[in-house]
Each structure stands twice: as structure tokens, then as C-alpha cells.
Amino acid sequence: MSSMFNFKLKPLSFALKANAVSLAVLMSSVAEARVVTGPNETVRPGPPPDSFELRPGSGLTVEGATTKQIRAQSANLTVNPGSKTQDITAFNSNVNIDGAEITARATQPAAVFMSGGTLSLKNSTLTHSNGVGLVVSRPIGSDEGAIGSVFNSSITGTTRGVSVGGNSALALYQTDVAGTGENGVGLYLFGQAIAIDSSITGELNGVRLDMDRSPDVPAALILDGSYVEGKAGAAILVESSKAGTPANATIDVRNGATLKGGNGNILEVTGGSFANMNVDGSTLFGDVVVEEGSTAKLQLNNGSWLTGQLKNVAELSVNNASHWALVGDSEVGDLKMAGGSVHFGGPDEFYRLDVDSLSGEGTFVMHTDFGSGQTDLLAVNGIAEGNHSLLLAATGSELATAEPIRVVSTEGGDAQFALVGGTVDAGAYSYGLKQEDTDWYLDPNRRGTSNSTKAVMALFNTSPTVLYGEMTLLRTRMGELRFSQGNNEGFWMRGYGNKYEVSGNQDGGGYTQNQRGFTLGIDTPLYGGDGQWVAGVMAGHSTSDIDLNRSGGGTVDSYYLGGYATWLDDESGLYFDGVVKLNRLHNEVNVSMSDGKKAKGNYTQNAVGASVEVGRHIKLDDGYFVEPYGQLNAAITQAQSYDLDNGLHAKGDRSASVVGKAGVTVGKNIQLDSGGVLQPYLRTALAHEFNHNNKVTVNGERFNNDVFGSRIEMAGGVAMSVTQSVKLHADLEHTRGKTVDQPWGVNFGVRYDF
């Protein structure tokens, strides 16, 4: 037990020094008490309750009995489960209480009063309706205090729940302590205390740390996973009760401990006192207020959070991924950063942080109204040193002022500041940071397009790849239609997946698209002329996941309905395929702005696409064939505008895409013993996007968003006539181009002829 504290408990024999005054008080209070002199006396249930006086060297065990007050001098007292007693006063004694109820008389100072000696309290309840629940103190004139351990108990007093005197120490485990009077204090501390998974509340203050005899021996408090509340005042107060003698306190708040002050303060330091508080792995909400002439140092370690104002704090260290969030203008003497962050309130709150000096490495999370020029400000009124990052909040609004906006001011030093990511997004563009003398400003010169702009440009550009992935070639859509000979109605379905990589241009707009979908169709033969016509309808759905290349992501859900007509001439091998398709596109975008926050938006638009394909199937010897073909694809997407929730307004003009394609397919028909036909094939083509004038407007700024250029397509696949009615097909494709790559495309389908 004593290992938790700074001072060492000496053998008990050195502590048998109760002064004459204390002894006289003891003897007068128990004049009618039953005197215990033997070392092993026991009181059991049955006899009427009695008071007990334990003489030096004696021992008493209360075995489930009810007693009146008990007084012990240099003795051993054990109170076992089921026992009920009045107040206990012990001088330099060993007291063990387990499973008992102790209710103090109104005339006594404490329910349990320990002056020197040791206390073990378990599973018990201590109550005082006119005083202190538990006192752990040193005898007058002695340097040897009491040592106490409390487990799974409840301690209640009016003036104080618990009082720990100088040179004394107390450990609380899973224990509730309360000071319930109007000015009650949960824990009044002159010495040392640790609270583990416990609760300490006071009507005025949760904990008060005071000075006993020497300011060189600080009062010390450890809160480990515990809760402290001052219902009317501060959670923790550091103040001396002796005029002209300041208190000296050390406070450790760790492992998820929390503090709550009814006046909003988690720590107050007054009367010229000094406090050093270390917060380790805990989250605190409230202010730290230091009276003029007093001093406080504060350390945040190991991911701790403090949300509140600091008033007249001499030194703050923000270390190990810890955070301080301001809720108002604040002042700190020395600000030491070691891997932590300082947050300047919310988006519509602009605060000023004044520090006397700055050192180390850290991040300052700040906000600027790019329209009005209002901003958070870090003001170093002395020397600034170290390397620091500024995480300025991004916005979809434009930078309305042409003047630089000051975000950091210093009086000197070699400190360096840089924006996280190098730039900050403001509307359509991004901006940087510049230094002038010893101050740093948001530079109004554009550094490129913002992430929001890149994202909306990309999403406006996805409709062509969505539509073309759904439509494709005749062979890809329906397999080898010649297996059906055009004589029967047919039902078919197709599943597909595509990956596209679009590079965009100098303004952005690049993205990666992963598409998956299906199409269902039904058709019937039409007879006319020398050839064979097939006409049908189709419907389908595709979903495309859009990766905006570090700018966020989005999705495009496409629903479509279309019709087609196909002509096949068996004699010449010529064929024609025409498709018209209507689409309803639902688009969603989730932008990652420069500050890491998200901006969302969505819109719906219509599109129409058409394809014309012509070619010739040329039969060669031994089942081989060659099939040259050409295709022209066109797609028009409705103009649409929408807003992101960061304030950015985007408008896409009506966009068009026209792709011409010329290619050839070679393959072989292999007759199977089952009567079916297996047809492997290879395909290559040259494709070219002709349109290069798709406009996108972002906050009134116009950008070109085309994917003009050529690309080469390569594919391989197989078609198979399984039975007279069932046909299968599948293929893989790959495309390389100037602005559009298709790393892979996969397609498979089945057709059933009635």
C-alpha cells in the first residue's frame, strides 16, 4: 500500500506517541465504556450495545454485533461482516473493518477517526450527518501519519466525505465518497490520496487540496478511472486554509478519469498556491482558472482531450497525440507542443490564443471565414520556436477578399509554420500559406483547384463510361447470335463488371470507376428482304463506385430501358446492330476536403445513348472466321446543378460523348461431340473520343471536363451453343488510352430460345 505514495511508513512502535491532550480527550469520552485490556477479546450478538475502550496492546473483534462508540489507543480493532457500530476513534492503532455499518453520533467529528496507525475498510458504509465520514491524519506533534485503504465502500459526511491529513495517505478502490453539506467537500486533502474506479462528489468542491505544515511537501492526488464532481464549485480546488501560506499540490488524472465543476471549472488555484496537473489518457470538459499570484502547470499526455478555457495558466504541454480545444479566448504562459494539437473552437467561432512563448512540434486546428476575413489567431507575444502545422478548415465558399488573412503572429524566434497538406480548399480553388516578417498569412494567390472542384468535375464526367459499360458491342451484349439462326423468340441476360481509370486534365476530374450491373432482354425475329431481323427490348441496372483519387468518393446508380434491332445476312455475313437506351442516373459524391472533413451532395439526371454497329462475318477454312466491324456510340447527359453541404455550387452543362470504333474479331467454330459448338475468339479495336468541349461551372468558375483522345481495346472470349435452346458467352477486355484506361472488363451471358 505505502508503495503508491512518496513517504515510507515506519514501524508502528515509533508511532505510539499520542500527546497528553489527545489521551485526555480519549479517556474523558469513554469514562463509562467497557475497558479492553486483553489481546484477543470478542463481542458477539446478544448483550445490549456497549461502548469500548481499547487500552495499549489490547485487541477487540466485533463479530456481527451492534456496539456503541469504540475508542482505541495503540490497539488492534477488527469489525467483521454484519456488525453495526457508532463512531470509531483510533490513535496509532490497526483497524480492520469489513462488511459493517458505522453511523456517527452528531457530537463526534468523524464516523471513523484515524490518528496515526493503519486502516483497512472493505464493503462497508460510513455515515456522518454532522461532520466527516472518514479522517486519516497524523497525531499532533508527530511526523507519522495514518495509512488507509478503502475497498468497495460508501463514505458520506456533511462537511467532508473524507479528510486526509499531512503525512498521511489513503487509497480508494471502487468506493463512493460524498460531502453532502451546503459547503461540503468530497475529499479534503493535506496528504496523499489515490482513487481507483471511484466516485468523489461534494456539494461545493469534489476535492480540495490544502497545505498542512510545509509547502515543500505537496498534497498529492491520483485519480485513476475515477469521477470527481463539485456540484456548486470547481471539481478540484487548490487553496490554503492558512493565511499567507500557499498550498502546493500535484494532481494526476489518468485512465479515463473525469472531472465536473458546477461552475464550469475543473480546476481552480487560488491564494498564491501552486498546482501541477498531469492528464494521461483522459477526456476532460471544463475550464482551468488560476487566480492572479497563483501558478498552475498542465500536461496533456497519451491521447488526452481537454475542452475548455485556460485562464492565467503558466505552462501547458500538449503531448503524445493529445488535444486542447478552446471554448473562448485563452491565455497561456509557455505553450509546449510535443505531438499534440490545439483546436480553436467551431466553424462560426473565432478565438484568440495568447501565449508568452511557443516551442516544440504540434498542430493548430483553426477556422477562417473566407468571405469576411474573420479568423482564429495564434498570438505568440514572445519567442516562437519549433516546427508547427496549421490545419485550416476548408470551405466551399470563395475567398472574397484579395487581402492576405493573418493566422499567426509572433514577436520573434525561428518557428516555422506550414499548412497540413500544403494547401487549404476555399471554394473552387486551393490556397497556401506565406510568411511576412514574423507573421504567417493565408495567401490569396491560387495554388490549384480544390478537392471539391476535382470531385464534382469527376462525377459529372462519369456518365459516358457508365453508359458505354452498359451498352458495348453486339457480341458482348448477346453472344454469337448466329447460333440462334434468327428463327426463335429469345430471352437473354447479361452480367458485367468494368474498371475504368480516367486521368482528367490539369484542373482535375480524374477518377477510378468500378462498375457492376446486369441487363435483361427479350426479342423476336422479324422477316423481311433477304436477311433476318431481330428486334427486342432490354432493361437493366448498374452501380458504379467512384474513387476520386484522394479527393473522396461517390456512387452512380443507373437504371435503363432500351430497344434494339439487329440484322444478320447469312449469305454475305453482313450484319447491322442498332441500340437506343434511356437512363436515369442517381449520383452521390462524398468529398474529402483539405482539412480531412467531408462534404456531400447528390443529384439526379437523365441520359440517352445510341449505338450503331456494322460488320461482316467472313468464314475461312477449318471453321476459322474473321469479323471486321465499326461502331459509333453517342451519349447525351442532361445538364444539372447541385450544391455540396460545404456551400459549393456546381453546375454541369449538357454533356456529350461521341466515340468511334474500328476493330476486328478472329475466332474458330469448334464442333463438339455433344452437337454443340464452341467458339473462342480474340478482338482488337481502335477507339476515339471526338468530343472535347464539356463544361463544368463551380461557384461561377468554368472548367473544361472532356476526355478527348484515342485508346486501343483488346479482348478475348468464348461463345458456346450448349443445346438448340441454350447459348452461353463470356469475355475479358482491356483498354489503354490517352485519358481513359480500362484495366479490366468482364462479361458473361446466357440466351434461351423458345
Side-chain angles (χ1 to χ4, degrees):
M1 179 63 210
S2 61
S3 62
M4 299 180 182
F5 306 101
N6 296 327
F7 69 89
K8 183 178 180 180
L9 181 65
K10 296 181 179 180
L12 189 60
S13 59
F14 289 95
L16 304 180
K17 301 177 180 178
N19 60 50
V21 175
S22 298
L23 185 59
V25 171
L26 171 66
M27 298 304 295
S28 63
S29 65
V30 293
E32 299 180 357
R34 180 176 160 186
V35 177
V36 178
T37 58
N40 298 305
E41 295 196 27
T42 300
V43 56
R44 292 184 172 85
D50 204 350
S51 302
F52 292 89
E53 174 196 344
L54 279 64
R55 296 290 176 86
S58 67
L60 176 67
T61 299
V62 181
E63 198 66 67
T66 299
T67 76
K68 296 181 180 180
Q69 67 269 24
I70 301 175
R71 303 290 183 263
Q73 173 69 49
S74 306
N76 297 307
L77 173 63
T78 300
V79 183
N80 284 331
S83 301
K84 297 181 180 181
T85 76
Q86 294 179 341
D87 39 275
I88 297 173
T89 301
F91 290 88
N92 298 316
S93 298
N94 296 317
V95 178
N96 294 278
I97 304 171
D98 188 358
E101 294 182 17
I102 301 173
T103 305
R105 296 168 295 162
T107 57
Q108 295 301 299
V112 175
F113 187 99
M114 296 291 302
S115 181
T118 61
L119 169 69
S120 175
L121 179 69
K122 301 178 181 179
N123 309 309
S124 297
T125 301
L126 274 61
T127 305
H128 201 316
S129 59
N130 192 42
V132 185
L134 170 65
V135 174
V136 180
S137 67
R138 61 177 178 83
I140 297 176
S142 174
D143 292 330
E144 296 295 333
I147 300 293
S149 302
V150 181
F151 302 85
N152 193 36
S153 296
S154 174
I155 304 175
T156 303
T158 53
T159 56
R160 305 171 186 177
V162 173
S163 180
V164 180
N167 297 91
S168 297
L170 178 69
L172 303 172
Y173 303 88
Q174 299 88 40
T175 292
D176 297 327
V177 175
T180 60
E182 181 179 357
N183 296 311
V185 176
L187 171 62
Y188 203 114
L189 187 61
F190 296 91
Q192 302 175 48
I194 182 171
I196 300 175
D197 299 329
S198 296
S199 171
I200 303 172
T201 61
E203 289 297 315
L204 181 59
N205 299 118
V207 178
R208 177 172 172 176
L209 292 94
D210 204 334
M211 197 280 296
D212 184 27
R213 292 196 298 180
S214 172
D216 297 330
V217 182
L221 173 66
I222 299 174
L223 300 173
D224 192 316
S226 295
Y227 174 79
V228 174
E229 179 182 1
K231 294 184 177 181
I236 300 176
L237 172 65
V238 180
E239 183 181 56
S240 176
S241 56
K242 297 181 180 179
T245 306
N248 184 1
T250 64
I251 304 164
D252 287 279
V253 182
R254 65 194 191 192
N255 295 331
T258 57
L259 308 175
K260 182 179 180 180
N263 62 356
N265 300 333
I266 59 173
L267 174 65
E268 293 178 4
V269 186
T270 66
S273 299
F274 172 84
N276 185 34
M277 185 164 79
N278 176 66
V279 183
D280 193 319
S282 299
T283 299
L284 304 180
F285 298 89
D287 301 336
V288 176
V289 179
V290 183
E291 187 181 66
E292 193 68 33
S294 300
T295 305
K297 295 182 179 181
L298 180 62
Q299 300 87 40
L300 304 178
N301 295 305
N302 296 323
S304 293
W305 271 90
L306 171 61
T307 301
Q309 282 186 283
L310 301 186
K311 300 177 181 179
N312 197 34
V313 172
E315 182 182 294
L316 171 65
S317 300
V318 188
N319 310 319
N320 311 112
S322 295
H323 306 262
W324 172 37
L326 284 72
V327 296
D329 295 340
S330 295
E331 308 88 32
V332 172
D334 300 327
L335 179 57
K336 300 180 179 181
M337 305 294 292
S341 301
V342 176
H343 302 251
F344 284 72
D348 299 321
E349 303 167 332
F350 302 105
Y351 298 141
R352 178 184 175 113
L353 172 59
D354 285 276
V355 301
D356 294 335
S357 67
L358 173 67
S359 61
E361 295 183 359
T363 300
F364 296 88
V365 183
M366 311 175 76
H367 295 85
T368 294
D369 187 326
F370 296 96
S372 66
Q374 290 180 290
T375 185
D376 294 321
L377 176 64
L378 171 63
V380 184
N381 304 314
I383 300 300
E385 298 177 334
N387 296 303
H388 306 279
S389 300
L390 304 181
L391 183 59
L392 289 180
T395 178
S397 302
E398 292 300 313
L399 188 65
T401 177
E403 297 296 323
I405 300 174
R406 187 175 67 167
V407 291
V408 177
S409 69
T410 74
E411 294 297 324
D414 59 0
Q416 295 296 310
F417 295 87
L419 291 175
V420 175
T423 59
V424 57
D425 292 343
Y429 297 97
S430 61
Y431 301 87
L433 193 70
K434 69 176 183 179
Q435 182 180 4
E436 293 185 3
D437 297 326
T438 58
D439 296 342
W440 276 261
Y441 295 82
L442 181 66
D443 186 358
N445 295 315
R446 297 168 177 173
R447 302 287 181 89
T449 54
S450 67
N451 286 353
S452 297
T453 297
K454 296 174 183 176
V456 300
M457 288 178 63
L459 202 63
F460 276 133
N461 218 27
T462 57
S463 57
T465 49
V466 170
L467 299 179
Y468 293 152
E470 296 169 349
M471 189 146 15
T472 70
L473 301 169
L474 171 63
R475 177 178 291 277
T476 306
R477 187 177 80 250
M478 300 175 64
E480 177 56 276
L481 195 58
R482 292 177 180 85
F483 287 159
S484 299
Q485 300 177 349
N487 295 325
N488 304 98
E489 292 82 7
F491 169 80
W492 57 271
M493 56 184 180
R494 169 189 174 232
Y496 54 91
N498 300 289
K499 180 177 182 178
Y500 298 101
E501 295 177 347
V502 180
S503 60
N505 55 33
Q506 70 274 10
D507 295 321
Y511 62 92
T512 299
Q513 173 185 339
N514 287 287
Q515 183 186 34
R516 59 196 179 276
F518 69 91
T519 308
L520 304 175
I522 189 168
D523 51 49
T524 185
L526 301 175
Y527 299 96
D530 296 330
Q532 297 171 326
W533 285 92
V534 175
V537 294
M538 63 183 184
H541 169 258
S542 74
T543 296
S544 295
D545 296 322
I546 311 299
D547 183 351
L548 301 174
N549 301 340
R550 298 187 301 276
S551 299
T555 59
V556 180
D557 278 305
S558 172
Y559 303 87
Y560 53 91
L561 179 68
Y564 59 91
T566 305
W567 175 75
L568 302 172
D569 185 77
D570 289 335
E571 183 176 346
S572 65
L574 295 171
Y575 73 92
F576 166 87
D577 183 56
V579 182
V580 177
K581 185 162 65 69
L582 300 176
N583 284 70
R584 182 71 167 172
L585 305 172
H586 182 74
N587 307 268
E588 294 186 0
V589 63
N590 193 347
V591 181
S592 296
M593 297 185 291
S594 60
D595 60 357
K597 293 186 172 62
K598 300 292 186 179
K600 299 179 181 180
N602 64 83
Y603 62 98
T604 302
Q605 58 189 161
N606 300 317
V608 60
S611 169
V612 175
E613 180 185 345
V614 295
R616 184 179 182 186
H617 186 84
I618 303 172
K619 297 180 181 179
L620 305 176
D621 295 338
D622 299 324
Y624 289 97
F625 68 89
V626 61
E627 191 174 274
Y629 69 93
Q631 186 186 40
L632 185 67
N633 281 301
I636 299 175
T637 306
Q638 175 190 19
Q640 191 58 273
S641 61
Y642 70 104
D643 295 322
L644 296 182
D645 58 10
N646 65 356
L648 182 134
H649 179 72
K651 180 181 179 184
D653 292 351
R654 185 178 66 182
S655 64
S657 175
V658 179
V659 177
K661 189 180 298 184
V664 62
T665 302
V666 296
K668 183 179 182 179
N669 291 319
I670 303 172
Q671 192 69 43
L672 303 177
D673 294 340
S674 62
V677 179
L678 182 67
Q679 184 190 88
Y681 59 87
L682 297 173
R683 183 177 73 248
T684 187
L686 175 65
H688 183 76
E689 171 64 69
F690 292 96
N691 187 61
H692 52 81
N693 193 31
N694 285 333
K695 300 296 183 182
V696 175
T697 303
V698 180
N699 288 356
E701 299 285 336
R702 290 182 65 83
F703 301 91
N704 191 26
N705 199 31
D706 68 85
V707 289
F708 176 83
S710 300
R711 53 186 183 266
I712 296 176
E713 298 180 355
M714 295 168 285
V718 62
M720 183 177 181
S721 175
V722 181
T723 67
Q724 186 176 356
S725 300
V726 179
K727 287 80 178 176
L728 304 174
H729 66 93
D731 61 8
L732 296 171
E733 56 187 3
H734 175 77
T735 300
R736 299 283 294 183
K738 178 182 178 181
T739 57
V740 179
D741 291 338
Q742 185 183 17
W744 57 264
V746 62
N747 180 85
F748 60 91
V750 59
R751 178 180 176 88
Y752 182 80
D753 291 327
F754 299 103

